Amino acid sequence: MALAATEPQQAADRAEENHEGPAVVGLETDALSSSRDVALQIQSEQLGVEFGFRRFHLWFVCALGIIQAAPAVTIGTGLYVQGQVLQEFKPHGVSPAVMSLVTSSVMLGSSFGTIACGELGDRFGRRKSLATCIVALALISLLHFFVPSGAWGFPCLVLLRVILGIAYGGFIVLPGVYISELVEDRWRGAAIANLTVFWHLGSLSAVQFVALNHGQSWRTLMAVAPLVPCNMGLMALVAVPESPRWLLVTGKTAAARNVLDRIFASQPLLGDAVVGRRPDVTVASTLPVEQQVKRSLVQDLGLLFEPALQRYTVMASLIYLLVAGANNTAWIYGPVLLQKVTGRSVHDNMHAFALSEIAGVLGAVTGMALVDVWGRKPLVTAACSLKIVSFSVLTYPAARGIATGLWATQGFVDTILWATVGVLVTEIFPTDLRGVGVGFACMGGRIASVVFPLIAGQVLTLGAGALCAYLTCCYLAILIVVYFQEETARTTLRDVHAGKKRS
């Protein structure tokens, strides 16, 4: 039987109905049976200790993973039809180096999409913003059917891919932010890293989709491929709730209570967790809620460079810039690089890319197992070191016979690196700035995903060895930057930035 609402709870409900919120928001506990008591009152930042890992979390993490397969299929399909696109537009002056824009133009669009969708996530919620990105990705993909042929065809395709990249940017930011706010600190890294498992499953399905429909036009492949994962993602999103920490920070206390009731009613799967009674949660803030939720994008960006967050913002941006630039360059030029090393056509090397995606799934599982045990910095260091070794070996002519194995190693290590950096960047920012903070950090990486491949296209004219040397230098730079970054494993996530106190 539920207890009657207390005076603080009634006040909070009245404030929410009037679209207001106090500086300290409280949640009254219900009289539900529980195997053990929880703290009568906790700060929202302590939810990362109380959540546990429950049946609810298993479904939630898998649902976000299904959603993450959609952008993987979208970008992966474009990568493997570049040969067809080049064949059509080469008579109109499109070179192999310019052809990289089929993929990198999506990254260019996502440089705006990451920060725009991150801001949407902070303003309107993680769930609504992610649903908007899914619908937009599916609808924009269908426009590939209408790309014209002739001299204007390729510019139209690039423009379409830039627009597609805006929605794509939301998938870079929102799923990791979403998961970080609903999973216990002990399992947070593994839960976010799980996204890369589904990413590689999506990429693997893109490889198979292109291989099985080899006779179809590239327009059909690029338009149709994202539809199935987008529909599956929408159905999965229907069954998951909004982030309770975001609801608390924005003053939506009644909705937060409902979500917390659902979470604390779920049975634990890993470790111990309270079942039944939810805690009385407060959000301590130096700013009234109405000021937190009505800031502009410019104000939010300014807060990222206040003394308390400035160093973290710069470090996160540098790390993501270097990782995204190097990894996407290797990914975009992988088919060409293997063709030069092995002497076989891209189509004949499709088994190598499929094996790389399978190795990527294994890498994701490995990253999940190690990211909370080893920590973020050691895992990034180990991954970059392996990348340097594999690219160094690939430059030797003797590597022809083992090129497929080396490329599979690349897929294995890539996933670990992406997963770990994704976790690291997500953990740096407080809940009220997490979306825009991660979006800003990713923005530089999206731009680097365009610039680095363009540079690589010129380097490749010097030979496959020159490209490998170029990528080796990129990963060396990552090692240097990560050395100065603080470890974030199992740390408590902040919910509110350190603002100025009210007089």
Side-chain angles (χ1 to χ4, degrees):
M1 177 178 179
L3 294 177
T6 62
E7 185 175 347
Q9 178 183 337
Q10 292 170 345
D13 289 341
R14 287 195 300 271
E16 182 182 0
E17 291 172 1
N18 295 325
H19 304 287
E20 299 174 355
V24 178
V25 184
L27 296 181
E28 178 66 22
T29 57
D30 292 335
L32 301 176
S33 61
S34 177
S35 59
R36 63 182 178 89
D37 291 333
V38 300
L40 294 178
Q41 186 174 19
I42 65 171
Q43 294 290 326
S44 59
E45 294 169 352
Q46 293 177 267
L47 283 171
V49 177
E50 299 289 345
F51 271 146
F53 193 88
R54 308 166 186 262
R55 293 177 181 175
F56 164 86
H57 291 108
L58 179 62
W59 164 245
F60 173 72
V61 171
C62 289
L64 269 290
I66 292 170
I67 292 169
Q68 197 71 345
V73 170
T74 302
I75 198 78
T77 304
L79 176 68
Y80 298 117
V81 299
Q82 285 185 144
Q84 291 186 44
V85 178
L86 180 60
Q87 185 178 6
E88 178 174 337
F89 293 113
K90 191 174 182 179
H92 302 287
V94 176
S95 66
V98 175
M99 181 52 53
S100 68
L101 288 173
V102 171
T103 300
S104 57
S105 58
V106 178
M107 307 304 173
L108 180 62
S110 68
S111 65
F112 172 75
T114 52
I115 194 167
C117 295
E119 176 69 7
L120 286 177
D122 287 342
R123 191 173 296 272
F124 299 107
R126 319 313 191 193
R127 187 168 178 261
K128 289 181 181 178
S129 301
L130 194 52
T132 301
C133 291
I134 295 172
V135 173
L137 190 75
L139 294 179
I140 297 171
S141 294
L142 288 173
L143 296 179
H144 284 99
F145 277 125
F146 306 101
V147 174
S149 56
W152 285 100
F154 189 75
C156 289
L157 174 61
V158 171
L159 178 60
L160 175 60
R161 302 289 282 179
V162 171
I163 297 171
L164 184 70
I166 298 174
Y168 178 89
F171 294 91
I172 303 299
V173 175
L174 295 172
V177 168
Y178 205 171
I179 288 176
S180 71
E181 295 170 357
L182 276 93
V183 177
E184 185 170 338
D185 295 339
R186 288 182 298 170
W187 317 108
R188 186 175 65 231
I192 298 175
N194 170 72
L195 293 172
T196 56
V197 175
F198 286 88
W199 182 280
H200 276 274
L201 290 175
S203 296
L204 181 60
S205 67
V207 173
Q208 297 303 317
F209 180 77
V210 173
L212 292 174
N213 297 276
H214 188 60
Q216 296 291 331
S217 73
W218 60 266
R219 290 175 176 81
T220 300
L221 296 175
M222 296 172 82
V224 173
L227 297 184
V228 171
C230 282
N231 282 319
M232 292 176 62
L234 277 178
M235 289 187 288
L237 195 60
V238 168
V240 298
E242 182 55 84
S243 162
R245 296 178 74 155
W246 178 83
L247 291 169
L248 285 167
V249 166
T250 54
K252 298 175 174 60
T253 57
R257 283 196 297 271
N258 292 335
V259 176
L260 290 174
D261 279 336
R262 178 177 173 183
I263 294 173
F264 280 87
S266 180
Q267 295 293 324
L269 288 178
L270 298 173
D272 297 325
V274 176
V275 178
R277 177 178 297 180
R278 58 173 164 79
D280 178 7
V281 185
T282 61
V283 178
S285 173
T286 57
L287 292 173
V289 171
E290 59 268 18
Q291 290 186 24
Q292 294 177 31
V293 299
K294 293 182 179 179
R295 296 189 305 257
S296 67
L297 174 59
V298 174
Q299 289 173 318
D300 281 345
L301 292 175
L303 291 172
L304 294 178
F305 287 93
E306 285 190 343
L309 286 175
Q310 184 180 45
R311 180 178 182 274
Y312 300 108
T313 301
V314 172
M315 293 297 293
S317 299
L318 277 176
I319 292 171
Y320 199 91
L321 182 149
L322 291 168
V323 171
N327 275 9
N328 279 294
T329 298
W331 185 58
I332 289 171
Y333 284 98
V336 178
L337 184 60
L338 277 188
Q339 185 176 10
K340 287 182 175 294
V341 171
T342 64
R344 296 191 296 264
S345 69
V346 173
H347 183 68
D348 291 337
N349 279 323
M350 289 298 284
H351 68 284
F353 304 123
L355 184 61
S356 176
E357 298 299 343
I358 294 171
V361 175
L362 296 176
V365 174
T366 302
M368 288 173 58
L370 297 179
V371 69
D372 290 316
V373 178
W374 281 17
R376 303 1 174 185
K377 287 180 64 175
L379 205 52
V380 170
T381 301
C384 287
S385 300
L386 285 173
K387 293 281 284 187
I388 290 169
V389 171
S390 61
F391 274 120
S392 298
V393 174
L394 202 58
T395 60
Y396 290 97
R400 282 192 179 186
I402 58 172
T404 299
L406 287 173
W407 201 252
T409 302
Q410 290 287 328
F412 178 81
V413 177
D414 268 356
T415 311
I416 294 176
L417 190 55
W418 273 123
T420 310
V421 170
V423 172
L424 177 65
V425 171
T426 301
E427 293 172 329
I428 288 176
F429 302 99
T431 299
D432 65 334
L433 291 171
R434 187 164 294 123
V436 70
V438 175
F440 179 82
C442 294
M443 181 177 65
R446 300 296 96 191
I447 295 173
S449 297
V450 179
V451 175
F452 280 37
L454 288 175
I455 296 173
Q458 301 303 315
V459 172
L460 188 60
T461 61
L462 302 176
L467 179 59
C468 290
Y470 169 74
L471 291 168
T472 297
C473 291
C474 293
Y475 291 110
L476 282 171
I478 297 170
L479 289 178
I480 294 171
V481 174
V482 168
Y483 176 80
F484 296 98
Q485 171 62 39
E486 297 177 6
E487 181 59 68
T488 59
R490 300 189 177 215
T491 56
T492 299
L493 296 182
R494 292 168 294 165
D495 279 325
V496 181
H497 73 281
K500 295 180 180 179
K501 293 185 178 180
R502 289 175 291 170
S503 58

